[in-house]
Amino acid sequence: MVRPTRKSTAPTKPLLKPPIRIGNIDTAAVIGELRQLHEAAEDKNVDRMPADEELFGALLHLETHADALKDERAQREAAIKRVRLWEYLREQVDLHQAKAIEQARAAGVQWVDLAPSLAVNAPSAAYNKAKRLQAAVLTEEAARRTVEKRPVRRTPEAVREFERLAAAKAAAQRRAEAEAALRHALLAPLAQRLIDQRAGLDDEGEVTYWLDQIAEVVTECRTPTQLVSLETYVKAVVRELRKIERTTARSAASTADAQAAYAAAAKLIDG
């Protein structure tokens, strides 16, 4: 029977399932628990054990003196805790090595100089290994922010694709912020004109309410939420003034300046 050909996974495709991870743990507390097990076993070398905060050194010491635990239950408990801590360390290594590489590159270190430290023989191999390590960093960032919620595949192609998507998202965000700033530059003076001319606008309850909302944000309008709110309030004023004109068949502005302010706001909103 001919076995079906297995399709290779595209190197840029994100992982479908997140890997199981130990995540954040209080390593000092776990080392403290291991210390207590050795103290209870009257391990004569426990006083030479590194501090609880010195994870790597403490693990090496515990490994060397594991036979000091005579009770089988204590042996199993200690071994499981040590396995867990080593797995935690394994998860941290990629993150911190990737950051060290990033700092080295920022300091002008060439790939050819990084190759020996990365245990590879060529600059291109150092670059590819660095990209694979960076996948761990990007996956952590993705879990917090996120451009792509699924883990990043550990291939140079996947990392470059992630970076491309992140750059595109950042560029889109910058464009949106620039457009919002430009629109605010046009909208804020018109909003202020409405406030200045409110005595000449129809003093119905809804109009007054929305003008009050504009007055609260127009002078301190900086955050994206405030920018959106200002436009929402101006739209509401225009909507309510138009409603008055439809239902009463009269102008919603009693002065020429108020009418001009209303007309300019309506033109911007309609545009």
Side-chain angles (χ1 to χ4, degrees):
M1 180 177 179
V2 179
R3 300 180 68 179
T5 303
R6 186 175 180 179
K7 295 182 179 179
S8 60
T9 304
T12 59
K13 187 176 182 181
L15 296 178
L16 296 178
K17 295 181 179 179
I20 298 173
R21 294 175 62 84
I22 294 294
N24 294 325
I25 60 175
D26 186 346
T27 58
V30 180
I31 290 294
E33 293 168 1
L34 287 165
R35 184 187 301 276
Q36 290 175 5
L37 289 175
H38 279 258
E39 289 175 345
E42 298 182 353
D43 180 359
K44 62 182 180 181
N45 294 299
V46 72
D47 291 339
R48 299 169 60 187
M49 181 176 166
D52 294 351
E53 292 76 17
E54 299 177 23
L55 178 57
F56 185 74
L59 280 172
L60 291 179
H61 177 93
L62 290 165
E63 180 181 280
T64 301
H65 300 285
D67 58 357
L69 300 178
K70 305 303 181 183
D71 180 73
E72 289 187 3
R73 182 176 179 180
Q75 290 173 358
R76 289 194 297 269
E77 182 182 350
I80 290 173
K81 289 181 184 296
R82 283 169 38 226
V83 169
R84 185 169 181 237
L85 288 171
W86 281 118
E87 182 61 27
Y88 171 82
L89 268 179
R90 186 193 306 277
E91 292 177 3
Q92 305 309 306
V93 166
D94 286 353
L95 296 174
H96 291 290
Q97 189 176 23
K99 290 177 181 177
I101 293 170
E102 182 181 347
Q103 291 169 349
R105 292 290 294 162
V109 178
Q110 300 300 308
W111 290 115
V112 66
D113 299 318
L114 279 171
S117 296
L118 287 169
V120 295
N121 296 320
S124 59
Y127 170 83
N128 287 334
K129 187 169 185 178
K131 286 298 181 184
R132 288 193 295 271
L133 289 170
Q134 195 176 0
V137 178
L138 296 177
T139 296
E140 288 293 319
E141 292 178 354
R144 295 194 300 266
R145 294 198 257 158
T146 176
V147 175
E148 171 58 67
K149 292 185 178 180
R150 292 171 293 181
V152 180
R153 191 173 294 277
R154 290 172 65 93
T155 65
E157 296 88 349
V159 172
R160 286 194 290 267
E161 177 65 7
F162 186 100
E163 291 172 334
R164 184 189 68 79
L165 292 174
K169 182 176 181 180
Q173 180 67 25
R174 288 194 297 272
R175 287 195 299 271
E177 291 174 354
E179 291 171 1
L182 178 60
R183 187 162 182 81
H184 176 256
L186 299 173
L187 185 64
L190 296 180
Q192 188 60 54
R193 285 180 66 186
L194 290 173
I195 297 299
D196 294 341
Q197 300 301 323
R198 66 184 305 166
L201 298 172
D202 199 301
D203 191 19
E204 294 289 335
E206 288 299 313
V207 174
T208 299
Y209 171 80
W210 291 115
L211 287 172
D212 287 342
Q213 298 304 306
I214 291 174
E216 287 186 9
V217 301
V218 68
T219 57
E220 297 292 334
C221 195
R222 295 186 179 89
T223 69
T225 300
Q226 290 171 329
L227 294 175
V228 172
S229 297
L230 180 60
E231 183 165 0
T232 299
Y233 300 153
V234 172
K235 285 181 178 179
V237 170
V238 171
R239 181 183 66 245
E240 294 302 324
L241 291 173
R242 284 173 170 170
K243 184 187 297 185
I244 290 170
E245 291 180 331
R246 287 196 307 271
T247 57
T248 63
R250 60 179 175 79
S251 175
S254 59
T255 68
D257 288 342
Q259 180 62 40
Y262 165 34
K267 183 177 180 180
L268 180 63
I269 294 300
D270 293 341

